[in-house]
Amino acid sequence: MYILQESLFSFEELQKIESKERLPIFFSALDLRPYARELRNPSPRGADGHCRQGILRALLAAPLENIDTFTGLARRLKFDLRFRYQCGLRLDIPAPSISTLSRVFAELTGKGLAKQLFEDLVTQCQEAGIIDGTHVAIDSAAIHAYEKKEPKRKSELTGNANWGAKFDTFGNKVKWFGYKLHLAVDAKSELPMALKVTSAHVNDGDEGPALMTTVAAKSKVKFFMLDAGYDQIKNYEAARNVKAQAIIPLNPRNEKEPPAGITRKGTPCCSMGFPMTYWGQEKVHLKFRCPHATGQVDCPLGMAACSSSNYGMVVKINSQTDLRRYALPHRESRGWKELYNKRTSVERCNSRMKTYLTADQLHVWGIQKVTTHQYLNAIVLLASALAIAKQRVQNAA
């Protein structure tokens, strides 16, 4: 296994390579034979004579080449012989038809092979040192659909497309019809480690615990970074249950009156009413010191009002007494803010999938097929990172 030291996300690097050279590099990281065997008909080749591994390659090459329909993929295979050859499809017979591509896609969906390939590639990226997995960011993205609209009650039962709304970065409320793509992303490599597709109306916070559990089963996560939409006690508990810490800003809509002598963000106040100074943590306890002793305020009574010690009054709070209010590290500390800033990794991953790939260009219907579509896009990111890592090792040899 090739090991990539100080790995950086390399999808843009692959995108800069010309298409005719990009595909061989991309496919060099993929061994699709085990998955193609699951797609084969009883005969050695399909009834239409097309190699299933070649069709699987073509379905993966489609998002990389920004081809978002079976019609567009069939046309590219028909008229671009180099593309067809690089996908491993024969040139002496007609290119696969739209119905053949659609049928293989349906098989991928029915047998869960896209999810299996995605999970195998996540493991390979971890073994190669590309995915670190100790700091994971979670967020959702809007996915637009053009399906026939169903009554809300029916769509809630089927999980298919529905109306959704969320606030953008600037606080504007955005509405759309379709789905949500929930992603858990490694903050170091900006690569997806777990995903789930739901109807657009599903609340972000409801999907946090499942994503955390899935990721924690694969790696030793220390911190999960999520935005204020996940500020629900179940997300803090889910992180604690896998021995990690949730880094989530407090959502004013969920806020209740804090305990007496405690600020909204969990800082205790001294007897004079000044917020105390955070002074690190001891296991699950947060330590705070007299603000006059640390030079943060000029108390008219000095330290004597609270303590006779030259060190000043010290307060220790057990963070386990209120997982939401007391974070490790403290919510107002530099360390907490540095951790939360890593949440932007999931935003960049979402952006790549929607801008450079085809995550937001749906031409399949139903949540099962939409999920397969998203897995194929995520697979492209993982395979691209593996391919570039392999290429770097070869160039260095």
Side-chain angles (χ1 to χ4, degrees), residues 46-242:
D48 52 9
H50 294 294
C51 171
R52 286 299 185 263
Q53 185 176 173
I55 296 178
L56 182 53
R57 282 188 169 207
L59 290 172
L60 288 171
L64 183 63
E65 297 292 305
N66 212 255
I67 302 170
D68 57 4
T69 65
F70 296 130
T71 301
L73 181 56
R75 185 181 298 114
R76 178 73 178 270
L77 289 168
K78 179 178 180 180
F79 294 108
D80 190 338
L81 297 183
R82 177 187 284 113
F83 178 76
R84 195 197 312 179
Y85 176 77
Q86 289 177 337
C87 288
L89 291 165
R90 292 168 56 182
L91 303 181
D92 58 339
I93 60 174
S97 64
I98 298 171
S99 61
T100 298
L101 296 171
S102 178
R103 187 166 59 251
V104 173
F105 183 90
E107 287 184 69
L108 276 175
T109 302
K111 296 181 178 180
L113 294 178
K115 179 181 179 181
Q116 182 182 333
L117 175 55
F118 169 82
E119 292 175 347
D120 291 345
L121 288 175
V122 170
T123 300
Q124 290 178 37
C125 285
Q126 289 175 304
E127 292 173 348
I130 299 172
I131 287 180
D132 175 60
T134 58
H135 295 69
V136 176
I138 294 176
D139 200 3
S140 71
I143 302 297
H144 298 81
Y146 304 96
E147 303 179 18
K148 181 179 179 181
K149 295 177 175 60
E150 299 177 336
K152 183 178 180 181
R153 183 177 300 176
K154 184 177 180 180
S155 65
E156 287 177 351
L157 292 174
T158 61
N160 291 336
N162 203 334
W163 287 100
K166 66 184 304 184
F167 292 95
D168 64 14
T169 308
F170 305 102
N172 302 311
K173 193 172 185 179
V174 179
K175 296 182 179 180
W176 77 99
F177 179 79
Y179 297 90
K180 272 186 181 178
L181 171 61
H182 305 267
L183 275 179
V185 172
D186 173 51
K188 178 183 177 183
S189 63
E190 300 177 7
L191 290 172
M193 296 184 68
L195 69 81
K196 185 176 180 181
V197 176
T198 66
S199 182
H201 73 278
V202 173
N203 183 273
D204 288 359
D206 292 341
E207 299 304 318
L211 288 171
M212 291 183 195
T213 302
T214 300
V215 171
K218 304 174 184 177
S219 61
K220 296 181 180 179
V221 189
K222 294 180 180 178
F223 296 99
F224 288 104
M225 285 71 68
L226 310 94
D227 65 24
Y230 295 84
D231 181 28
Q232 302 172 22
I233 189 62
K234 59 186 173 185
N235 286 305
Y236 296 97
E237 291 176 342
R240 181 191 60 180
N241 291 340
V242 296

Side-chain angles (χ1 to χ4, degrees), residues 262-298:
I262 302 292
T263 69
R264 190 177 69 85
K265 292 189 177 181
T267 303
C269 297
C270 69
S271 58
M272 294 296 290
F274 296 112
M276 299 183 72
T277 304
Y278 175 60
W279 211 253
Q281 64 188 68
E282 296 176 0
K283 295 184 178 179
V284 298
H285 288 82
L286 297 169
K287 180 180 178 181
F288 298 89
R289 286 185 62 192
C290 168
H292 182 86
T294 59
Q296 297 299 309
V297 299
D298 185 13

